[in-house]
Amino acid sequence: DQQVKQNSPSLSVQEGRISILNCDYTNSMFDYFLWYKKYPAEGPTFLISISSIKDKNEDGRFTVFLNKSAKHLSLHIVPSQPGDSAVYFCAASARGGYQKVTFGTGTKLQVIP
Amino acid sequence: ETGVTQSPTHLIKTRGQQVTLRCSSQSGHNTVSWYQQALGQGPQFIFQYYREEENGRGNFPPRFSGLQFPNYSSELNVNALELDDSALYLCASSLGLAGGGQFFGPGTRLTVL
């Protein structure tokens, strides 16, 4: 049972444009959501998170939006840069992040120069 | 400040053998989580250790076991290896139980023949 779903395995975007990565979840106990970025031969790197008490969190070029009623979150990258090319994992946790983190299957983003 | 390190980088074993993977947590971190990432999938939570005690376990059989040492480094042991155990094994450390503050190591690539 995949509790965190990333339905787009890959995404290609032109440099300078917006990248939008989507994620859906099924477990209503999740109240803390995270995005990780992973380059080949490296472990995932934490990017940005959002608590269920918010609907938006911004950090530089990265913004995460949370729609609790739809059980959907998205990561916006503006403007996209070639260095953003990586696999992005959506993840979720319960109890404010104090329980195990459940990951999605990842979306491979390619930013074309 | 050193990051999370894992050893070995790669490992090849045969079915039925046993394997031990090692992880050194980031300086000051007292929590270690282990994940299995199969090809094309997101990381799956195996278990977490907090101050040398197991604190939460995912859907993995008992032949997956672990240890955390007083210096907070950790080992993952897998007995009776099966072909499906071939995966990237990731270790992540954090301070306290905060899933959102995890820092991942580069992983150990295990191949079971």
Side-chain angles (χ1 to χ4, degrees):
Chain A
D1 174 31
Q2 192 70 30
Q3 297 185 54
V4 178
K5 300 177 187 178
Q6 294 178 258
N7 292 320
S8 298
S10 63
L11 176 68
S12 287
V13 170
Q14 289 286 338
E15 181 179 3
R17 306 294 291 268
I18 184 171
S19 294
I20 299 176
L21 294 92
N22 293 303
C23 177
D24 297 293
Y25 62 95
T26 58
N27 189 338
S28 57
M29 298 300 292
F30 289 148
D31 60 6
Y32 190 75
F33 304 90
L34 313 96
W35 284 93
Y36 286 84
K37 179 169 72 173
K38 186 179 187 300
Y39 293 118
E42 295 183 14
T45 303
F46 170 72
L47 199 54
I48 191 168
S49 63
I50 187 167
S51 162
S52 60
I53 61 173
K54 295 180 140 183
D55 54 20
K56 176 182 173 181
N57 189 28
E58 199 169 348
D59 184 2
R61 297 186 296 116
F62 302 91
T63 303
V64 56
F65 295 92
L66 174 63
N67 182 333
K68 288 187 292 293
S69 60
K71 292 192 173 67
H72 176 85
L73 61 155
S74 61
L75 174 68
H76 293 209
I77 306 173
V78 184
S80 300
Q81 299 174 354
D84 296 329
S85 297
V87 176
Y88 288 78
F89 290 101
C90 171
S93 178
R95 290 185 59 222
Y98 278 71
Q99 285 197 351
K100 69 173 188 177
V101 178
T102 301
F103 283 80
T105 52
T107 296
K108 185 174 183 178
L109 173 66
Q110 182 183 21
V111 180
I112 303 163
Chain B
E1 181 181 278
T2 55
V4 179
T5 60
Q6 293 185 243
S7 62
T9 307
H10 297 87
L11 202 51
I12 299 175
K13 291 285 190 178
T14 55
R15 242 178 358 170
Q17 285 189 309
Q18 177 266 342
V19 70
T20 297
L21 310 182
R22 294 179 175 84
C23 171
S24 290
S25 57
Q26 183 158 315
S27 176
H29 286 183
N30 55 13
T31 304
V32 172
S33 301
W34 285 92
Y35 294 83
Q36 180 196 66
Q37 186 181 7
L39 203 60
Q41 301 296 314
Q44 282 200 60
F45 177 79
I46 303 175
F47 43 56
Q48 181 183 80
Y49 279 84
Y50 173 62
R51 291 184 177 178
E52 302 178 58
E53 297 285 331
E54 185 178 295
N55 178 66
R57 188 178 181 95
N59 295 327
F60 282 82
R63 59 190 185 83
F64 285 78
S65 63
L67 279 174
Q68 187 179 30
F69 300 99
N71 66 353
Y72 303 128
S73 65
S74 178
E75 284 183 357
L76 164 65
N77 299 291
V78 187
N79 293 321
L81 283 167
E82 300 177 1
L83 298 179
D84 284 350
D85 295 334
S86 296
L88 180 68
Y89 288 85
L90 294 161
C91 164
S93 76
S94 58
L95 182 61
L97 301 174
Q102 293 183 106
F103 290 81
F104 281 84
T108 293
R109 173 71 62 185
L110 172 65
T111 301
V112 182
L113 302 175

